[in-house]
Amino acid sequence: MTRIEVVVVVTAASLLYLAIFGPRRRKSTSFFSQAAVLAAYTLFPSLLSNALGSMQSSLVKSSMYPVWAISLYVLFSDSITAYSLIDHRQSKRLAYRFLLDSVYLMFIAASISATAASSVGFVLVYVLYVIAWQKFVYRVFASGLAVSSWNFNKMVADHMDQEHIKNKDYDAASMRGYRYLVDWPLRHSKLEADISYAAEPADAAQVVDIEGVFLSQDKSLSPELKDTCLSFSLCHLLRIRFYGFAARSKSAQKKTRDLVFKGLLCKTDATEAGDINYKRVFKVIEVELAFTYDFFFTKRAVLYYGSWAATFWSFASASLMSVAIYLTVNGVMIIVTKEEDMDLSSLARTSTLEIDYFITLVIFASIVLLEVLHQLASRTSIWGRISFVCQRVRQGEASKRKGGRSCCMKFLCIKFKEVLVWIGVHVWTRSSCWKNNLGQYSLLESVHTTTSACSLVMFSCVAPVQKLLNSLFLGDYAAFVHPTRHRVPSVRKPGKPIELDEEVKKALVNFLAFKFITCVDGKIILENGRSSLKSNRADHLKWACDHKHWGSTICKRRKENQVYYILTWHIATWYCEMGALKYGVGEEVKVHLGVATKLSKYCAYLVAFAPKLLRGHHYDTRSVFDAVAAEAFESLKNKKDKYTAMTRLLQDSGTPPPGSKEKIFNAGVRLARDLEDMEVGARWKVLADFWTEMTLYIAKSGNNMEEHIEYLAKGGEFVTHLWALLFHAGIIDQEEEKEKEEEEDEEGNHMATV
């Protein structure tokens, strides 16, 4: 019994951690916090199987065994619905296991009740069964909504197609003409002969869109609430792209582009001297990605779309748990033995009863506390804001048609919701939805330039043993997974994250606005830094942004991978930064220096630790990174002062012959020499603009949407926020069209040559 109690306590504690801190993992990239959530999520089936087996085989039976087991399922259902997207595809297996465990638990309960002196205590089992089934059904529905909500997303896609065709007269600043969907009464949707799910219901006022929200005269709808609705509507657009329904018509691209550049990126005081409200831009994107995270990894979307049923079951669960606590307090637990001749001393019986009482009450109290917290969180969260705004908009439309006010009960209900939403708005506006920092990594600072005695001993001992084990047990297997060359003597440890300051955000937003003003035919083209060099009259540095520099012929996969240019400019930026720290710079240069160095180290961080979020194949990125680290090690080996060593390399380096291949590290050194020849202010202006454009360029890839969603559950990355912003601006679709045209031209040239 002690072993069973320990297993139950450990499992309950891990599930409580998962229920409380699981949804908060989007704010942390810490390895330990992510590993703790993963451990609690994956170990639950094993711990429960161990507990059930011990309960069945134990000679001493407690009537609380099935109660504890079902309570664990209740706690598990209150946690996150998936650790990664692949978990949603295993929802059927999880439901099948839950069904089998339920039958097994009923068998354990029946075997205990058959020898019990009283069956009153087993009311707890049936009460908890109802609660567990209700919560587990919501969990299964949440998984289905995340990967199988084809009907809803097709309906949104059809609505958006019609919206872009019908509403061509619009104003992005006021949102007039933007009938982007916020909420739709799903029960009224229907399938028509033209395969359209977007036919408006008989009561069109039930459909809430962005135009209706922003043009509403309701004073209770603050700008924060309206922007939350805009974020929710933009989240719909991300989801329909995830399901493959995204429209790519030119009219749709123009309207969404105007929404970003003439709506979100408008001037604060509507004058040429006014600044762009970049804080609002990133706040809208932050909340949008928070909706996306909740939709794919929590139950909040299911609770929102089934709000009336969720509210009913919440009160029902609270009532049933009150009954369970009442039965527990009144001492319905008993101890029965499997063997008639087994005798328990009164002291042992009393001690066991006290422990069972304590464990049961703590578990029940935890369930009730989680129920209260979840309900409070749902009412005060961003989902509660959407529910409140939609109710206010619909209530306003109904009042206009009826010419009167709503009933007193509805009025009091809305006022109560308004109080909860007010609390939520003030809590959410003080804290960011995501971690407000940038990952940092410096390649040259991480590469070991000296070999210690310990490293020599480790290498001389481990390498032969590893080679022997590979030859004996693995054969050629290791060559399939890892390259044949030795691993790079570098440290893959990121630097300390820094706060995402306003200057970085402002630089990115201002560069986007500049590209919009100077665009031709409405096409905003982002390059890997070439256009920024042209605008700064630094054409002599374009060789470091040209793929032809790395070879006369180059395949498409290598062409789209930007790791060559990122590392080349990263090495040169590090050298210029060391020179600035040594000799100092003026105050007017520090802003550009800060933007350049922070974005340079962030791009290097993505290369080293999040290559799947970049353009090109992630293994190519890792391979090039290892090769450059090896080049840096060989060039700076046994050099204590890396800056002085690179200064000597700058003096000795020259321009490679035409057509010859140049190592990336040597290219970075040569680029640093070219930058050193420039005036200090111009140098850092060039670097700041280059890294601004490069960061936006690597964020505009539209082929890795699932990877961006996966990273939302791992703390998120700032590049995902930029990716969502560029997607809504239509830049990602333009890039895909441009690449398709380039491929067709290359195929045509090849056929002509043949």
Side-chain angles (χ1 to χ4, degrees):
M1 288 194 68
T2 302
R3 183 175 66 252
I4 296 172
E5 291 166 351
V6 170
V7 171
V8 169
V9 170
V10 171
T11 307
S14 63
L15 292 178
L16 280 174
Y17 176 86
L18 187 64
I20 296 174
F21 295 99
R24 298 174 178 269
R25 61 185 174 136
R26 70 182 183 197
K27 290 189 176 183
S28 175
T29 55
S30 170
F31 170 79
F32 296 101
S33 61
Q34 294 288 334
V37 172
L38 178 61
Y41 184 83
T42 56
L43 290 179
F44 170 72
S46 301
L47 292 174
L48 184 65
S49 298
N50 182 280
L52 292 179
S54 300
M55 291 175 185
Q56 180 62 23
S57 61
S58 176
L59 296 178
V60 180
K61 303 291 184 181
S62 171
S63 60
M64 287 298 101
Y65 285 172
V67 173
W68 290 345
I70 300 174
S71 299
L72 294 180
Y73 261 114
V74 173
L75 290 174
F76 180 68
S77 299
D78 279 332
S79 63
I80 56 176
T81 57
Y83 185 81
S84 62
L85 289 177
I86 196 173
D87 293 334
H88 288 304
R89 302 183 180 96
Q90 301 177 357
S91 59
K92 291 184 179 180
R93 180 180 62 85
L94 186 63
Y96 182 69
R97 180 184 178 87
F98 178 71
L99 179 62
L100 292 180
D101 288 343
S102 300
V103 174
Y104 191 46
L105 283 171
M106 291 298 293
F107 173 74
I108 295 176
S111 64
I112 295 176
S113 61
T115 57
S118 172
S119 60
V120 178
F122 293 96
V123 175
L124 284 171
V125 176
Y126 305 112
V127 167
L128 288 173
Y129 257 114
V130 175
I131 299 175
W133 273 102
Q134 172 261 325
K135 290 183 177 294
F136 196 80
V137 165
Y138 273 102
R139 184 184 182 88
V140 174
F141 281 176
S143 295
L145 187 65
V147 296
S148 304
S149 54
W150 299 101
N151 178 66
F152 174 72
N153 289 281
K154 178 64 166 63
M155 179 193 69
V156 175
D158 288 341
H159 174 86
M160 293 304 300
D161 287 338
Q162 296 180 21
E163 198 277 340
H164 289 137
I165 295 174
K166 294 179 179 178
N167 302 295
K168 295 184 178 180
D169 181 21
Y170 58 85
D171 178 33
S174 63
M175 296 297 169
R176 178 183 55 82
Y178 279 89
R179 298 204 62 191
Y180 284 19
L181 191 64
V182 176
D183 190 74
W184 182 290
L186 297 178
R187 294 185 299 275
H188 300 289
S189 62
K190 58 183 179 179
L191 175 64
E192 292 185 340
D194 60 349
I195 316 298
S196 174
Y197 293 78
E200 291 189 355
D203 188 4
Q206 294 297 314
V207 178
V208 181
D209 53 44
I210 289 298
E211 181 186 50
V213 171
F214 274 79
L215 298 183
S216 175
Q217 300 299 321
D218 194 333
K219 295 182 179 180
S220 63
L221 302 184
S222 63
E224 291 82 1
L225 294 179
K226 293 181 179 180
D227 281 347
T228 303
C229 291
L230 177 60
S231 300
F232 191 52
S233 181
L234 295 179
C235 176
H236 291 334
L237 302 184
L238 283 184
R239 292 210 306 265
I240 62 176
R241 184 182 181 89
F242 178 81
Y243 281 87
F245 293 130
R248 296 184 181 179
S249 63
K250 292 184 178 180
S251 61
Q253 290 182 4
K254 184 178 185 304
K255 194 170 185 178
T256 55
R257 183 174 63 248
D258 290 343
L259 172 65
V260 172
F261 290 103
K262 296 182 180 180
L264 291 177
L265 298 181
C266 62
K267 303 280 187 176
T268 54
D269 57 1
T271 63
E272 291 297 328
D275 294 329
I276 296 176
N277 192 0
Y278 59 91
K279 293 183 179 180
R280 183 196 177 201
V281 177
F282 287 105
K283 189 62 179 180
V284 169
I285 299 298
E286 283 179 11
V287 178
E288 174 195 358
L289 294 180
F291 278 120
T292 305
Y293 168 80
D294 287 341
F295 183 85
F296 284 103
F297 298 104
T298 70
K299 294 192 301 182
R300 289 185 176 178
V302 172
L303 298 178
Y304 168 77
Y305 289 114
S307 57
W308 66 271
T311 303
F312 167 78
W313 279 109
S314 177
F315 282 109
S317 299
S319 302
L320 292 175
M321 287 305 303
S322 300
V323 174
I325 293 175
Y326 171 79
L327 294 175
T328 304
V329 172
N330 282 271
V332 298
M333 289 186 298
I334 54 175
I335 296 294
V336 296
T337 59
K338 186 177 181 180
E339 302 288 344
E340 293 183 359
D341 56 349
M342 179 172 288
D343 184 26
L344 290 175
S345 65
S346 59
L347 180 61
R349 181 183 296 271
T350 302
S351 176
T352 303
L353 282 174
E354 290 178 353
I355 295 175
D356 287 355
Y357 265 117
F358 179 76
I359 293 175
T360 306
L361 288 176
V362 168
I363 292 177
F364 285 173
S366 301
I367 294 174
V368 174
L369 179 62
L370 287 178
E371 190 71 39
V372 173
L373 291 178
H374 285 168
Q375 285 299 316
L376 183 62
S378 63
R379 304 300 177 188
T380 58
S381 68
I382 51 179
W383 295 91
R385 298 188 203 178
I386 298 297
S387 178
F388 172 74
V389 172
C390 292
Q391 186 175 2
R392 291 293 295 180
V393 172
R394 288 167 178 156
Q395 189 74 17
E397 292 295 330
S399 299
K400 289 179 182 179
R401 288 180 296 173
K402 295 179 181 180
R405 299 182 64 181
S406 59
C407 65
C408 181
M409 186 60 68
K410 289 184 178 180
F411 178 77
L412 293 177
C413 181
I414 291 178
K415 284 299 180 182
F416 178 69
K417 285 186 176 180
E418 185 176 351
V419 172
L420 293 178
V421 169
W422 182 87
I423 296 174
V425 167
H426 283 73
V427 172
W428 275 71
T429 52
R430 292 178 181 177
S431 62
S432 176
C433 302
W434 303 92
K435 60 182 183 68
N436 190 36
N437 57 40
L438 283 177
Q440 299 285 280
Y441 178 77
S442 178
L443 173 63
L444 297 182
E445 292 177 3
S446 300
V447 173
H448 291 302
T449 58
T450 57
T451 305
S452 61
C454 181
S455 300
L456 289 175
V457 173
M458 286 290 292
F459 182 79
S460 60
C461 296
V462 173
V465 173
Q466 184 179 4
K467 186 176 181 180
L468 176 63
L469 292 177
N470 289 339
S471 61
L472 290 176
F473 300 103
L474 300 179
D476 292 334
Y477 167 76
F480 282 92
V481 181
H482 303 295
T484 55
R485 57 183 171 79
H486 293 299
R487 279 298 172 186
V488 192
S490 63
V491 178
R492 282 183 177 269
K493 183 178 180 180
K496 185 178 180 180
I498 63 172
E499 184 180 358
L500 179 59
D501 57 24
E502 306 301 331
E503 295 298 334
V504 173
K505 293 181 180 180
K506 187 183 298 185
L508 292 166
V509 168
N510 288 337
F511 190 88
L512 270 181
F514 170 76
K515 297 296 290 186
F516 173 71
I517 295 174
T518 58
C519 67
V520 180
D521 298 330
K523 291 186 177 181
I524 302 172
I525 304 300
L526 291 174
E527 299 180 276
N528 62 345
R530 288 192 293 266
S531 65
S532 67
L533 296 178
K534 182 179 179 180
S535 62
N536 284 291
R537 299 180 180 180
D539 294 337
H540 63 288
L541 302 178
K542 281 188 176 181
W543 64 267
C545 302
D546 191 355
H547 66 272
K548 295 180 181 179
H549 176 75
W550 311 108
S552 57
T553 59
I554 191 167
C555 63
K556 179 180 181 298
R557 190 184 73 251
R558 185 176 179 183
K559 182 179 177 180
E560 70 178 3
N561 198 305
Q562 300 299 308
V563 64
Y564 306 93
Y565 319 116
I566 292 175
L567 294 181
T568 298
W569 283 84
H570 173 70
I571 293 171
T573 304
W574 179 87
Y575 178 81
C576 294
E577 180 188 7
M578 293 300 102
L581 293 177
K582 185 175 183 179
Y583 300 107
V585 294
E587 292 294 331
E588 66 280 1
V589 181
K590 287 186 178 180
V591 174
H592 295 312
L593 186 148
V595 171
T597 55
K598 291 172 184 177
L599 290 181
S600 170
K601 293 178 181 178
Y602 180 62
C603 290
Y605 167 84
L606 294 176
V607 169
F609 302 99
K612 292 184 178 181
L613 298 180
L614 303 179
R615 300 169 59 86
H617 198 280
H618 62 91
Y619 188 75
D620 290 338
T621 302
R622 290 181 181 274
S623 300
V624 174
F625 172 81
D626 289 344
V628 176
E631 294 172 4
F633 174 77
E634 291 297 328
S635 300
L636 302 177
K637 184 167 53 178
N638 298 326
K639 302 293 191 304
K640 294 182 179 181
D641 189 347
K642 299 176 186 178
Y643 177 75
T644 303
M646 286 189 64
T647 302
R648 295 174 181 173
L649 291 175
L650 259 65
Q651 299 172 355
D652 299 337
S653 64
T655 304
S660 63
K661 294 183 179 180
E662 185 180 22
K663 291 183 178 181
I664 295 178
F665 179 79
N666 294 338
V669 172
R670 187 158 66 93
L671 177 61
R673 183 190 62 188
D674 294 344
L675 289 168
E676 283 286 297
D677 294 337
M678 300 177 63
E679 190 269 331
V680 176
R683 177 197 313 158
W684 284 109
K685 178 67 166 59
V686 166
L687 287 173
D689 288 349
F690 169 83
W691 283 113
T692 299
E693 185 174 19
M694 174 60 79
T695 305
L696 293 170
Y697 182 75
I698 63 178
K700 70 176 182 177
S701 177
N703 300 322
N704 53 358
M705 183 173 185
E706 287 196 15
E707 296 298 335
H708 282 288
I709 294 177
E710 289 282 9
Y711 268 86
L712 291 180
K714 301 176 182 178
E717 287 296 341
F718 181 62
V719 69
T720 301
H721 297 229
L722 298 176
W723 166 80
L725 179 62
L726 296 179
F727 165 71
H728 296 308
I731 297 178
I732 290 178
D733 291 334
Q734 290 180 0
E735 178 65 18
E736 292 177 351
E737 292 177 359
K738 179 184 175 183
E739 291 180 354
K740 186 176 181 180
E741 292 175 357
E742 290 179 353
E743 290 180 9
E744 292 176 353
D745 293 340
E746 290 179 0
E747 291 179 0
N749 295 334
H750 176 70
M751 293 300 296
T753 304
V754 173

